[in-house]
Amino acid sequence: MAIFTGAGVAIVTPMKENFEINYDKLAEILEDQIAGGTDAIIICGTTGESATLSEQEHMDAIRFTIERVNHRIPVVAGTGSNCTATAVQMSAEAAEAGADGLLLVTPYYNKGTQNGLIAHYNKIADAAKTPVILYNVPSRTGCNLAAETIAKLIKENEYIVGIKEASGNISHVADIMHLCDGKADLYSGNDDQIVPILSLGGIGVISVLSNVAPKETHDIVDLFMKGDIKGSCELQLKALPLIHALFSEVNPIPVKAALNLMGKEVGPLRMPLSEMEDAHKAVLAEEMRKFGIKLA
């Protein structure tokens, strides 16, 4: 059984002005997401600025989210690392805390061979004994998971169940589903490719867009699953200008700006990320208005 079907939000990590995690705001946006129809919470992923969280902050945010959500929808914890031992430790802790699944990005900077990636993922999954979603985003990590590697992991390790695909390469996605015999839990990692990936057997999206438009992102998947392909596609295409604005600078710079424009007060970004440029923010605000999102 899949960890979730539909739209999971790759949720931001709200910060206070002194750059500490703002747990009061995190609680608020978790409630907003659940009320808005989001199908799962993905905490401490790239959008959550995981790269600048200490291990203690990382685990505290995961535990807080699991406790606050309290089984109302699944919680998937981002516990990947380029250090296998660190990923093993954090994944085991997240599993013990009650995470419904783990999102494990490919090792970045030191990367690894395909054989090394197989060993890396098997070691983490076997230690955590919790459903794992692999995360392939070579534009950020410099490391690509080959379709054959994904298929081997999913077929041979009972805990490795799915893949968040953010390569942008639809042919690669097709190869994955072919080699997995269509049995992988496939999630789009790109908001502009939800419908194409669903058409290849995907079951959802792990979404940045959901931070500002949870219902609409949920509906793109829901309409498709109910057989309303035309309605799903229309909503996907309607969202494209907003999606482009949300990725006009490095994620999560624009989405945090968007939430602050909505009055959500999610605070600043930790360096080396910087605040959004005014020209880009103006375009973002305009696309949000066109999409029907109310600004503060």
Side-chain angles (χ1 to χ4, degrees), residues 12-287:
V12 303
T13 301
M15 300 286 180
K16 299 177 182 178
E17 290 306 313
N18 65 358
F19 300 101
E20 292 179 359
I21 296 176
N22 188 334
Y23 285 102
D24 290 339
K25 286 296 175 184
L26 180 55
E28 286 181 21
I29 62 174
L30 287 170
E31 294 301 326
D32 287 347
Q33 285 293 319
I34 294 170
T38 286
D39 298 292
I41 303 292
I42 291 78
I43 184 70
C44 292
T46 305
T47 310
E49 298 178 73
S50 58
T52 59
L53 300 179
S54 70
E55 287 181 34
Q56 186 64 56
E57 288 175 317
H58 202 124
M59 296 313 305
D60 287 347
I62 289 170
R63 291 190 186 96
F64 179 89
T65 300
I66 292 168
E67 291 172 10
R68 183 74 191 199
V69 173
N70 193 25
H71 306 292
R72 286 176 287 172
I73 58 175
V75 173
V76 178
T79 52
S81 173
N82 67 336
C83 172
T84 303
T86 300
V88 165
Q89 177 185 336
M90 291 199 300
S91 298
E93 288 183 25
E96 186 177 354
D100 296 286
L102 307 172
L103 181 68
L104 301 179
V105 71
T106 51
Y108 37 87
Y109 189 68
N110 46 0
K111 303 195 292 187
T113 64
Q114 296 300 308
N115 284 338
L117 295 174
I118 290 167
H120 171 82
Y121 280 118
N122 279 329
K123 191 169 184 68
I124 300 166
D126 291 343
K129 294 181 170 53
T130 294
V132 165
I133 301 171
L134 308 172
Y135 180 17
N136 191 38
V137 57
S139 66
R140 295 193 79 123
T141 64
C143 180
N144 185 55
L145 269 170
E148 293 82 2
T149 300
I150 295 165
K152 182 177 178 64
L153 287 165
I154 286 175
K155 287 180 176 180
E156 296 182 3
N157 193 309
E158 63 179 311
Y159 299 111
I160 299 174
V161 299
I163 175 76
K164 175 186 177 184
E165 241 303 318
S167 67
N169 184 341
I170 293 296
S171 296
H172 180 61
V173 177
D175 286 339
I176 292 168
M177 295 306 280
H178 168 67
L179 292 172
C180 290
D181 301 320
K183 295 175 183 176
D185 293 340
L186 171 66
Y187 300 95
S188 177
N190 294 322
D191 285 313
D192 62 349
Q193 293 184 339
I194 303 172
V195 170
I197 284 181
L198 292 176
S199 74
L200 288 170
I203 61 170
V205 59
I206 294 176
S207 170
V208 175
L209 176 66
S210 282
N211 281 279
V212 298
K215 181 183 184 302
E216 292 83 355
T217 314
H218 163 87
D219 286 350
I220 292 172
V221 181
D222 190 52
L223 288 169
F224 191 99
M225 294 300 188
K226 290 177 177 176
D228 185 0
I229 310 302
K230 184 174 185 292
S232 174
C233 188
E234 286 176 351
L235 192 49
Q236 167 83 90
L237 295 177
K238 178 186 176 184
L240 277 182
L242 175 57
I243 293 166
H244 292 158
L246 285 169
F247 288 89
S248 59
E249 293 188 25
V250 173
N251 180 49
I253 292 173
V255 72
K256 265 198 157 177
L259 287 164
N260 286 329
L261 285 168
M262 295 168 68
K264 300 293 186 181
E265 298 179 356
V266 297
L269 300 128
R270 286 187 178 178
M271 292 178 69
L273 299 182
S274 56
E275 296 305 313
M276 195 173 193
E277 294 178 18
D278 289 341
H280 292 158
K281 188 184 290 187
V283 173
L284 174 62
E286 180 61 21
E287 294 302 339

